[in-house]
């Protein structure tokens, strides 16, 4: 259940009419994401609500790859936030899967190297925090792709983002 303050904020941002027929869960997910960005970091209950909403949106939402990719990205970020809060391995694994799925269907929106960086750092965290050495090769490969793409995109040596 969303806190009353968040519900009041939601009503301010929800469109009065929906001429392009955006599915309500997608509208709600975008609204929740906007509120998340302009307010303090969500707490446990708000994170749970965001995760439920993003998952529902993915189940019922748009087949358009860009829209689906953006929702997968947002789901991955919120799952990462919840992992940071509670340390549950499943949240970290689900976050990694959402980032992977997002990268598989999108090539634009945020610079791709940012998405690769988030995926690679979370993969490395899975290896180190949960003693999963089998996954380290994937983390290294992802971060290597990130550095190469960063260098190519910006013209700056990619090693500078590692510091």
């Amino acid at each position: 259940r969303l806190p009353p303050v968040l519900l009041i904020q939601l009503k301010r941002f929800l469109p009065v009419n929906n001429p392009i027929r955006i599915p309500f869960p997608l509208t709600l997910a975008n609204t929740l994401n906007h509120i998340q960005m302009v307010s303090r970091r969500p707490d446990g209950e708000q994170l749970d609500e965001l995760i439920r909403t993003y998952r529902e949106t993915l189940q019922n939402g748009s087949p358009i790859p860009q829209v689906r990719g953006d929702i997968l990205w947002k789901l991955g970020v919120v799952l990462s936030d919840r992992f940071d809060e509670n340390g549950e391995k499943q949240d970290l694994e689900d976050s990694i899967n959402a980032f992977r799925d997002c990268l598989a269907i999108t090539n634009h929106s945020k610079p791709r190297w940012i998405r690769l960086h988030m995926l690679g750092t979370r993969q490395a965290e899975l290896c180190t925090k949960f003693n999963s050495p089998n996954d380290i090769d994937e983390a290294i490969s992802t971060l290597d792709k990130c550095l190469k793409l960063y260098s190519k995109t910006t013209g700056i040596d990619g090693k500078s983002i590692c510091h």
Side-chain angles (χ1 to χ4, degrees):
R1 206 88 186 114
L2 288 173
V5 172
L6 193 55
L7 285 172
I8 291 167
Q9 287 178 326
L10 266 176
K11 289 178 183 176
R12 274 193 3 218
F13 293 109
L14 286 174
V16 175
N17 61 20
N18 194 346
I20 57 174
R21 306 230 185 270
I22 297 172
F24 178 73
L26 183 57
T27 303
L28 180 61
N30 285 335
T31 302
L32 287 169
N33 186 61
H34 174 73
I35 291 168
Q36 178 188 6
M37 292 184 337
V38 298
S39 64
R40 66 177 174 74
R41 187 173 174 175
D43 64 14
E45 284 183 25
Q46 292 168 330
L47 288 171
D48 293 344
E49 183 66 26
L50 284 165
I51 291 166
R52 274 192 299 278
T53 302
Y54 291 143
R55 285 181 170 155
E56 181 183 328
T57 301
L58 288 168
Q59 269 185 328
N60 305 322
S62 173
I64 300 169
Q66 183 59 42
V67 173
R68 189 166 185 76
D70 287 344
I71 298 298
L72 283 163
W73 173 256
K74 292 171 186 175
L75 175 62
V77 169
V78 175
L79 283 162
S80 288
D81 289 346
R82 190 166 75 177
F83 168 75
D84 291 341
E85 188 174 283
N86 67 20
E88 292 290 325
K89 183 179 181 182
Q90 189 63 52
D91 286 336
L92 182 57
E93 289 174 340
D94 289 350
S95 173
I96 289 168
N97 288 331
F99 291 141
R100 265 194 209 118
D101 292 347
C102 169
L103 282 161
I105 63 173
T106 60
N107 285 327
H108 41 308
S109 190
K110 287 192 182 298
R112 190 169 178 82
W113 69 264
I114 291 172
R115 292 181 172 191
L116 286 165
H117 184 260
M118 186 70 140
L119 172 60
T121 55
R122 287 307 187 170
Q123 288 169 326
E125 192 166 9
L126 180 65
C127 298
T128 57
K129 285 197 176 182
F130 297 101
N131 203 15
S132 314
N134 297 339
D135 300 320
I136 195 69
D137 290 337
E138 185 178 9
I140 291 169
S141 173
T142 301
L143 290 170
D144 185 52
K145 288 177 194 172
C146 168
L147 289 173
K148 288 176 182 170
L149 187 57
Y150 176 81
S151 294
K152 181 180 174 185
T153 304
T154 64
I156 299 171
D157 180 13
K159 292 176 185 160
S160 66
I161 67 169
C162 296
H163 301 289

